[in-house]
């Protein structure tokens, strides 16, 4: 491949306070796919703009369609320009900076190859040397065969002065047995330390900040436990439907798509024990222990729903069964609500309520910690009817920040209690950095920091927890909920049985 003409990162090291990643080749299997266009290219563009890519960085896109270096460059440039004008995309930019994109564009090269053809990997051997990251931006059915092909061709052999790493997208398996089988298959070709199982939720700044919020504040850490916490709610609500992804979603559903990976990663961040250090193995070890402490989920602690026709922002939307590539009698869930129990010393008896769904009332991803209310005795002879619990809400999307609801006295002659919220948004205190969720993950992979990537035991523990539901839901019906509503009634009933209710998707407690 021709050498890039830029001989320095776009910004000097001092500008962003972080060293550029070492030089490497990023080989992207599925170079013309949606993931590459929508997330990987914008992330690389942002890294280039921050000066975090070495001048020796190159990209080799592999796809089975005909193409060329210039053809792929043009296609990805067009995609970037389109995304920058789309307010609904993850990538937000007023314009494409020509220097930042030029740094990426001139480093893009193309190789045509079938993912299951040994000749592809032989051709690849002649295209790469030194440090290489192989990114599997492909359908899950290709994960095992791609790793086999790389291993058999000797492309995963590491030298003392060069690394070889593989990034594997979710879903990693479709149940516990398939996850174990895939782990066994890939570990025949390379060491565990070479595999980076990615979950883009962990690339979000607010998610990464949970550890700092928990462990760097003396006023919070002591009360982050069963003696003071009543319950915890983890929500990932979306207003979008399945769009054009019906073919993927039909055999997958909300449970497989979201719970053992995204939702369990949020669970681990908020509930794990403090690690001994921020080293990758210490952090991932604590996450794995937490995931393994989750009791297998009982079917009566779970709700599955499917959206039907409704309205969002005053506009009618069709039901799931009317979406493209979806069966007219589909029994696939687009909504899941769960009650989780963690069998360890810190969280014994504290319920964790998890919900995720499409076409809900609002787009909101958050973790809410509901603390036990203060004793009421002092207020027994006052007009105060009750004391509401304090609630801390860590918001991940669409805003990034945190807020805590407190009880205070309402001004006036009598003791009346009112609710106030103390909080912050990251944008009010820190300069907003362009981020689609993959920048930190790509940089960490290139630098060899596996902290934010899932280890095999963590993934298997997630699948083990949902295994009873996968079996029970093979024949269980789904409950309808209208698009534009918070979800099915059974989800409200799940909490009502415990004398609790879901927090509002508008950010309000009631």
């Amino acid at each position: 491949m021709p050498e890039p003409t830029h001989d320095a990162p776009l910004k000097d090291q001092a500008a962003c306070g972080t060293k550029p990643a070492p030089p490497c080749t990023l080989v992207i299997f599925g170079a013309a796919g949606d993931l590459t266009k929508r997330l990987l290219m914008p992330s690389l563009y942002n890294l280039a703009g921050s000066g975090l890519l070495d001048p020796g960085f190159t990209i080799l896109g592999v796809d089975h369609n005909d193409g060329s270096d210039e053809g792929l460059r043009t296609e990805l440039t067009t995609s970037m320009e389109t995304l920058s004008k789309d307010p609904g995309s993850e990538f937000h930019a007023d314009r494409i900076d020509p220097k930042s994109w030029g740094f990426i564009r001139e480093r893009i090269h193309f190789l045509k190859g079938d993912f299951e053809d040994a000749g592809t990997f032989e051709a690849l051997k002649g295209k790469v040397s030194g440090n290489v990251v192989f990114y599997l931006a492909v359908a899950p059915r290709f994960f095992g065969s791609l790793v086999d092909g790389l291993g058999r061709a000797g492309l995963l052999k590491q030298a003392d002065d060069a690394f070889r790493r593989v990034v594997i997208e979710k879903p990693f398996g479709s149940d516990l047995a398939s996850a174990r089988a895939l782990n066994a298959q890939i570990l025949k070709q390379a060491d565990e330390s070479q595999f980076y199982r990615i979950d883009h939720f962990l690339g979000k700044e607010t998610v990464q900040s949970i550890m700092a919020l928990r462990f760097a504040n003396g006023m919070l850490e002591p009360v982050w436990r069963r003696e003071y916490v009543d319950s915890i709610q983890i929500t990932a609500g979306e207003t979008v439907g399945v769009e054009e992804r019906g073919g993927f979603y039909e055999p997958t559903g909300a449970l497989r798509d979201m719970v053992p990976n995204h939702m369990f990663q949020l669970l681990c961040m908020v509930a794990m024990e403090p690690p001994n250090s921020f080293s990758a193995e210490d952090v991932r070890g604590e996450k794995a222990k937490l995931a393994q402490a989750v009791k297998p989920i009982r079917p009566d602690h779970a709700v599955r729903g499917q959206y039907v026709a409704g309205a969002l922002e005053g506009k009618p939307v069709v039901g799931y069964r009317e979406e493209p590539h979806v069966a007219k009698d589909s029994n696939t869930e687009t909504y899941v609500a769960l009650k989780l129990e963690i069998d360890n010393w810190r969280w014994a008896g504290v319920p964790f309520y998890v919900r995720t769904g499409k076409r809900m009332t609002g787009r909101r991803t958050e973790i809410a910690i509901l603390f036990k209310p203060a004793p009421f005795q002092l207020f027994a002879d006052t007009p105060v009817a009750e004391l509401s619990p304090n609630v801390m809400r860590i918001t991940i999307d669409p805003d990034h920040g945190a807020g805590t609801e407190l009880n205070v006295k309402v001004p006036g002659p009598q003791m009346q209690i009112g609710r106030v919220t103390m909080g912050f948004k990251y944008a009010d205190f820190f300069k907003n950095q362009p981020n689609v969720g993959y920048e930190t993950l790509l940089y960490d992979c290139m630098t060899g920091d596996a902290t934010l990537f899932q280890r095999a035991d963590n993934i298997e523990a997630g699948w083990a927890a949902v295994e009873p539901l996968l079996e029970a839901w093979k024949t269980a019906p789904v409950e309808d909920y209208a698009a534009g509503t918070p979800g099915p009634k059974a989800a409200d009933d799940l909490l009502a049985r415990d004398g609790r209710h879901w927090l509002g998707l508008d950010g309000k407690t009631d």
Side-chain angles (χ1 to χ4, degrees):
M1 293 181 290
E3 289 298 318
T5 58
H6 288 294
D7 59 0
L10 296 182
K11 293 182 180 179
D12 60 28
Q13 178 182 331
C16 58
T18 306
K19 292 181 179 180
C24 74
T25 299
L26 177 63
V27 177
I28 304 176
F29 290 96
D34 182 63
L35 174 63
T36 301
K37 294 175 180 177
R38 210 168 36 85
L39 296 170
L40 297 187
M41 286 301 120
S43 297
L44 293 170
Y45 165 82
N46 289 336
L47 287 173
S50 298
L52 293 177
L53 296 179
D54 188 90
F57 175 75
T58 59
I59 300 167
L60 178 59
V62 183
D63 212 290
H64 65 279
N65 298 314
D66 290 331
S68 64
D69 291 0
E70 191 56 34
L72 182 58
R73 290 169 182 172
T74 300
E75 183 178 356
L76 294 176
T77 299
T78 301
S79 175
M80 287 289 291
E81 291 171 347
T82 301
L83 286 171
S84 70
K85 299 172 185 175
D86 180 4
S89 74
E90 292 93 339
F91 176 57
H92 305 289
D94 295 330
R95 67 182 184 90
I96 302 297
D97 175 58
K99 289 186 178 180
S100 298
W101 180 243
F103 184 92
I104 297 298
R105 190 187 192 282
E106 70 178 19
R107 287 165 167 76
I108 297 173
H109 306 276
F110 179 78
L111 173 66
K112 180 182 178 181
D114 188 290
F115 299 155
E116 298 181 300
D117 181 359
T120 299
F121 303 97
E122 288 303 314
L124 187 56
K125 287 175 69 173
K127 296 280 188 179
V128 299
S129 60
N131 297 329
V132 185
V133 173
F134 300 99
Y135 200 113
L136 310 190
V138 297
R141 68 179 184 275
F142 293 115
F143 292 165
S145 58
L146 277 172
V147 173
D148 282 346
L150 291 169
R152 289 167 183 161
L155 286 161
L156 298 181
K157 291 181 180 178
Q158 300 190 110
D160 292 339
D161 59 346
F163 61 74
R164 298 294 168 95
R165 296 169 185 150
V166 181
V167 180
I168 303 180
E169 273 284 344
K170 75 154 185 88
F172 194 91
S174 58
D175 53 23
L176 180 58
S178 59
R180 284 174 171 166
L182 181 55
N183 274 323
Q185 181 178 5
I186 66 175
L187 292 176
K188 290 179 181 177
Q189 303 297 342
D191 185 74
E192 167 68 30
S193 64
Q194 294 176 254
F195 293 105
Y196 288 67
R197 301 170 187 84
I198 198 167
D199 185 333
H200 75 268
F201 261 43
L202 292 181
K204 296 178 181 292
E205 281 294 340
T206 318
V207 176
Q208 297 175 54
S209 297
I210 293 173
M211 284 201 294
L213 188 69
R214 286 186 59 190
F215 303 131
N217 293 288
M219 65 183 291
L220 294 180
E221 197 284 327
V223 299
W224 214 272
R225 60 190 66 246
R226 58 185 170 82
E227 290 88 349
Y228 302 97
V229 174
D230 171 81
S231 58
I232 291 178
Q233 296 184 17
I234 303 176
T235 295
E238 299 179 86
T239 54
V240 297
V242 294
E243 310 296 304
E244 297 294 324
R245 298 174 68 236
F248 160 78
Y249 210 81
E250 269 290 85
T252 306
L255 181 67
R256 284 186 169 94
D257 187 40
M258 292 291 290
V259 176
N261 36 69
H262 291 337
M263 306 308 284
F264 266 56
Q265 285 304 302
L266 296 181
L267 173 71
C268 288
M269 295 293 280
V270 77
M272 71 181 187
E273 292 297 317
N276 290 334
S277 73
F278 284 118
S279 73
E281 288 313 296
D282 281 352
V283 173
R284 299 202 297 176
E286 292 302 335
K287 285 183 183 178
K289 285 196 291 185
L290 190 284
Q292 291 161 357
V294 179
K295 293 182 179 180
I297 305 166
R298 294 163 35 184
D300 63 328
H301 283 180
V303 174
R304 65 197 306 250
Q306 184 187 93
Y307 66 85
V308 296
L312 274 164
E313 298 180 352
K315 298 179 181 179
V317 293
V318 301
Y320 175 72
R321 294 178 183 177
E322 285 72 57
E323 300 279 16
H325 315 297
V326 172
K328 298 304 178 184
D329 60 349
S330 174
N331 196 45
T332 297
E333 78 281 351
T334 62
Y335 175 99
V336 174
L338 306 170
K339 176 183 177 180
L340 306 182
E341 299 172 297
I342 299 177
D343 193 12
N344 69 10
W345 189 267
R346 181 183 292 264
W347 298 114
V350 177
F352 285 71
Y353 300 106
V354 172
R355 60 176 167 170
T356 180
K358 295 187 175 296
R359 291 291 191 214
M360 294 174 68
T361 309
R363 173 190 166 208
R364 192 172 186 86
T365 301
E366 74 169 14
I367 299 170
I369 298 91
L370 290 83
F371 293 91
K372 292 180 179 179
F376 184 72
Q377 289 90 330
L378 178 63
F379 299 89
D381 297 324
T382 74
V384 177
E386 61 180 352
L387 292 177
S388 299
N390 302 130
V391 180
M392 172 177 279
R393 303 178 77 153
I394 303 169
T395 309
I396 298 163
D397 273 325
D399 297 316
H400 308 289
T404 302
E405 296 178 12
L406 304 174
N407 297 313
V408 300
K409 181 183 178 296
V410 176
Q414 285 190 314
M415 174 59 72
Q416 294 287 347
I417 297 294
R419 300 281 281 175
V420 299
T421 300
M422 297 173 58
F424 74 96
K425 292 182 179 179
Y426 274 82
D428 294 337
F429 292 88
F430 306 104
K431 183 180 179 181
N432 186 35
Q433 297 290 332
N435 192 299
V436 300
Y438 276 74
E439 290 84 354
T440 298
L441 299 171
L442 287 170
Y443 176 82
D444 285 356
C445 182
M446 289 185 276
T447 59
D449 184 350
T451 304
L452 297 177
F453 295 85
Q454 298 192 74
R455 210 167 58 188
D457 51 356
N458 195 334
I459 288 177
E460 291 180 8
W463 282 119
V466 303
E467 192 78 1
L469 301 184
L470 295 176
E471 186 62 32
W473 285 4
K474 288 179 179 178
T475 56
V478 290
E479 180 177 340
D480 292 347
Y481 65 98
T485 63
K489 180 180 180 298
D492 295 329
D493 296 341
L494 178 67
L495 270 69
R497 293 200 299 264
D498 295 340
R500 300 182 177 94
H501 66 272
W502 293 107
L503 303 185
L505 286 167
D506 56 1
K508 299 177 181 178
T509 301
D510 297 310

